[in-house]
Amino acid sequence: MLLEFTVGNFLSFRDKNTLSLSATAIKEYVDTNIISTQRYQLLKSSVIYGANSSGKSNLIKAMSTMRKLVLQSFKQASTEELNITPFLLNTENEENPSFFEVLFLLDEVRYRYGFEVDNTSFKSEWLFESKKQLEKPLFVRENDGIEVMKTFSEGKDLEEKTRDNALFLTVVDQFNGKKAKAIMNWFNNFVTVSGLSHEHYTGITFNLLDNEETKPAMQSFYNNADLGFDTVKLNKKEFDVARLPKDMPESIMQEISTKLQGQTMVDAITVHKKYDSKNKVVGTVEFDMDSQESAGTNKVFNLSGPIFDVLHDGGVLVVDELDASLHPLLTLAITKLFNSQEHNQKNAQLIFATHDTNLLTYGNYRRDQIYFVEKDKYGASDLYSLVEYKEEGAVKAIRKDRSFEKDYIQGRYGAIPFIGNLSNIIKEWQEK
């Protein structure tokens, strides 16, 4: 479970900013929105608001980048670059490394892991462990070397096997380090997806629908979401080159055909009721999900895989643009799966960016679950939660009985676009 994620000097985040899923002392929705452990009270979800280009997607990209570096850095060639972009609007920052750090729980043990990295190498790396209150280092890496503590014996004698553009943690994992492997598995369950490019996740959805254990919950969700079909089934058949686009270049078609020859292809088929002139059911009609269902239905179907995968196994799901192409009630239904005792029994966590302000009224979110991202006049993004926000001159925080949606739209909490007088702009354009 995630406690905190911190990023600094990456894309639009100049200074270190932290997204915390540690619950504060407020009393809203304790029964449904809180995960209680022996030592911590954690939030099941967090929603992020902000104007276009405020930095919401950059925050999620930072999470995705950290995950990718952890899971893939060992596979990098020694000369391969790491695709890191620091904050470029300040001369001091552009020469410094980017900062990434997570605090998370594994079997009631808290770990703090992070690193500093530029486009060519890792400048520092650290792993700390806290079994009770005291935090102890397991290893610390600086430019001049890696110090491995006695309590991390699995990392001994592996210091010299670590390339400049590889993480020490991943090296220890490759040599079957027990703690390293558990941490790598945590990152594997720290899933980031895009609500705009959701077509990439159909494979996960197919796998869960093909599993008798997970299929009923997904089918129940489709029915409750009123997507218009009675059931969905998978149509499996061997790859046929005739299914490829006719205008595809022949060389590419041959390459794809060679790779997929003999492979099983899967299509999603939705089943609809068919009625006679008296509106009596006389049979069923099958639709192809991709070509005959709406964009919104396809998105719900595609994202349902990662959603129910995390709900079934536990983990953290991070989604950018969750509300794109979705009716507000569908977005609400998805988020309530996580803020739930019934559906979220494995303590999965959801972090998502959205413009859907209806959730501020109907989502039953605590003030510490609501985050805003806003850019200052120097182009740097700032992240802050509603529970810590205080209006200018105010001593107390925002009250829980405020109309969060109305206040946000009116600009009370910031993080909204400044829109000038559009009528003047149109008038000036027409007069030219």
Side-chain angles (χ1 to χ4, degrees):
M1 289 173 280
L2 178 66
L3 281 79
E4 292 182 1
F5 173 80
T6 301
V7 61
N9 194 30
F10 180 72
L11 297 176
S12 61
F13 288 92
R14 179 183 60 196
D15 303 319
K16 292 178 184 177
N17 279 256
T18 297
L19 177 77
S20 174
L21 270 75
S22 294
T24 60
I26 61 176
K27 301 301 182 183
E28 296 108 286
Y29 309 112
V30 173
D31 293 337
T32 55
N33 297 21
I34 298 294
I35 302 168
S36 295
T37 72
Q38 293 178 9
R39 299 167 58 194
Y40 299 97
Q41 298 286 301
L42 302 178
L43 301 170
K44 291 182 179 178
S45 62
S46 183
V47 55
I48 306 166
Y49 288 95
N52 293 105
S53 299
S54 62
K56 299 188 306 299
S57 294
N58 287 342
L59 178 65
I60 291 176
K61 191 174 292 184
M63 298 180 192
S64 176
T65 297
M66 184 178 194
R67 179 184 189 270
K68 181 179 179 181
L69 289 172
V70 170
L71 296 180
Q72 299 182 13
S73 76
F74 186 83
K75 303 173 185 177
Q76 301 269 124
S78 60
T79 57
E80 199 168 342
E81 293 188 344
L82 298 171
N83 296 319
I84 298 297
T85 304
F87 183 76
L88 297 175
L89 302 182
N90 184 283
T91 55
E92 181 180 1
N93 288 81
E94 64 184 352
E95 300 299 328
N96 292 331
S98 299
F99 179 98
F100 301 88
E101 184 181 75
V102 287
L103 271 71
F104 58 96
L105 286 183
L106 271 177
D107 300 324
E108 291 296 332
V109 178
R110 192 192 76 185
Y111 292 93
R112 179 163 64 91
Y113 175 69
F115 48 80
E116 291 181 298
V117 59
D118 62 17
N119 202 38
T120 60
S121 63
F122 293 94
K123 304 303 182 184
S124 62
E125 184 184 358
W126 55 91
L127 176 62
F128 288 78
E129 181 183 70
S130 173
K131 293 183 177 180
K132 293 184 179 179
Q133 296 300 321
L134 185 63
E135 186 180 66
K136 298 180 180 180
L138 297 182
F139 72 82
V140 178
R141 173 185 186 177
E142 297 291 348
N143 282 325
D144 55 353
I146 303 172
E147 182 182 3
V148 180
M149 311 308 168
K150 292 181 180 179
T151 50
F152 196 62
S153 58
E154 62 192 69
K156 288 293 184 183
D157 302 323
L158 297 179
E159 300 91 334
E160 298 301 321
K161 299 183 184 297
T162 305
R163 303 187 315 272
D164 288 344
N165 68 341
L167 289 163
F168 181 64
L169 178 72
T170 66
V171 174
V172 179
D173 171 61
Q174 291 295 315
F175 284 87
N176 296 317
K178 186 177 179 180
K179 287 182 181 178
K181 190 168 295 294
I183 293 171
M184 293 290 285
N185 186 60
W186 184 88
F187 273 100
N188 192 53
N189 292 323
F190 182 44
V191 182
T192 58
V193 301
S194 169
L196 297 176
S197 304
H198 50 83
E199 300 84 1
H200 304 301
Y201 315 118
T202 53
I204 302 173
T205 305
F206 289 159
N207 287 337
L208 294 185
L209 282 174
D210 210 25
N211 185 326
E212 293 303 319
E213 185 180 355
T214 52
K215 181 179 178 179
M218 297 180 70
Q219 185 62 61
S220 176
F221 173 70
Y222 300 148
N223 293 340
N224 290 332
D226 193 24
L227 297 178
F229 54 81
D230 291 330
T231 187
V232 60
K233 63 181 184 179
L234 303 181
N235 182 24
K236 301 179 183 179
K237 54 186 176 182
E238 188 173 320
F239 169 73
D240 183 359
V241 67
R243 301 179 65 190
L244 295 176
K246 303 301 181 185
D247 58 350
M248 181 178 288
E250 186 175 348
S251 59
I252 297 177
M253 186 178 295
Q254 289 178 350
E255 182 180 353
I256 293 176
S257 299
T258 301
K259 289 181 178 179
L260 297 181
Q261 193 66 39
Q263 297 291 317
T264 299
M265 309 299 291
V266 183
D267 290 324
I269 304 298
T270 58
V271 181
H272 298 251
K273 290 186 180 73
K274 188 173 185 176
Y275 301 88
D276 64 12
S277 60
K278 297 181 179 180
N279 292 326
K280 291 185 178 180
V281 177
V282 295
T284 60
V285 179
E286 295 184 351
F287 287 179
D288 176 74
M289 175 69 79
D290 286 338
S291 61
Q292 293 178 280
E293 297 290 356
S294 70
T297 297
N298 270 272
K299 176 174 179 176
V300 172
F301 179 77
N302 294 339
L303 288 185
S304 66
I307 289 168
F308 280 89
D309 190 35
V310 170
L311 286 170
H312 183 263
D313 296 334
V316 184
L317 178 64
V318 185
V319 187
D320 192 16
E321 301 283 359
L322 176 62
D323 57 314
S325 300
L326 292 185
H327 189 280
L329 291 178
L330 274 177
T331 307
L332 179 63
I334 291 172
T335 61
K336 284 197 170 183
L337 287 173
F338 288 83
N339 288 335
S340 164
Q341 290 180 324
E342 177 187 358
H343 301 290
N344 189 4
Q345 298 182 10
K346 295 295 181 66
N347 293 327
Q349 294 170 295
L350 172 68
I351 300 168
F352 66 100
T354 183
H355 292 290
D356 185 357
T357 60
N358 291 282
L359 297 174
L360 293 172
T361 298
Y362 302 107
N364 294 343
Y365 276 94
R366 294 161 50 96
R367 286 166 289 167
D368 50 6
Q369 290 180 285
I370 301 170
Y371 272 84
F372 301 106
V373 181
E374 184 175 52
K375 275 186 180 176
D376 64 19
K377 62 181 180 180
Y378 304 106
S381 295
D382 183 37
L383 175 71
Y384 52 94
S385 76
L386 183 57
V387 77
E388 64 186 343
Y389 180 80
K390 291 183 176 65
E391 295 179 293
E392 188 174 350
V395 177
K396 295 183 178 181
I398 300 297
R399 289 164 51 99
K400 66 179 180 180
D401 58 355
R402 294 286 317 174
S403 174
F404 301 151
E405 181 180 14
K406 180 180 177 182
D407 287 350
Y408 174 59
I409 292 296
Q410 291 179 346
R412 184 165 186 162
Y413 310 135
I416 62 171
F418 174 76
I419 301 175
N421 191 326
L422 295 181
S423 61
N424 286 344
I425 296 174
I426 295 172
K427 183 179 179 181
E428 291 175 5
W429 173 72
Q430 290 175 335
E431 290 175 350
K432 286 184 178 180

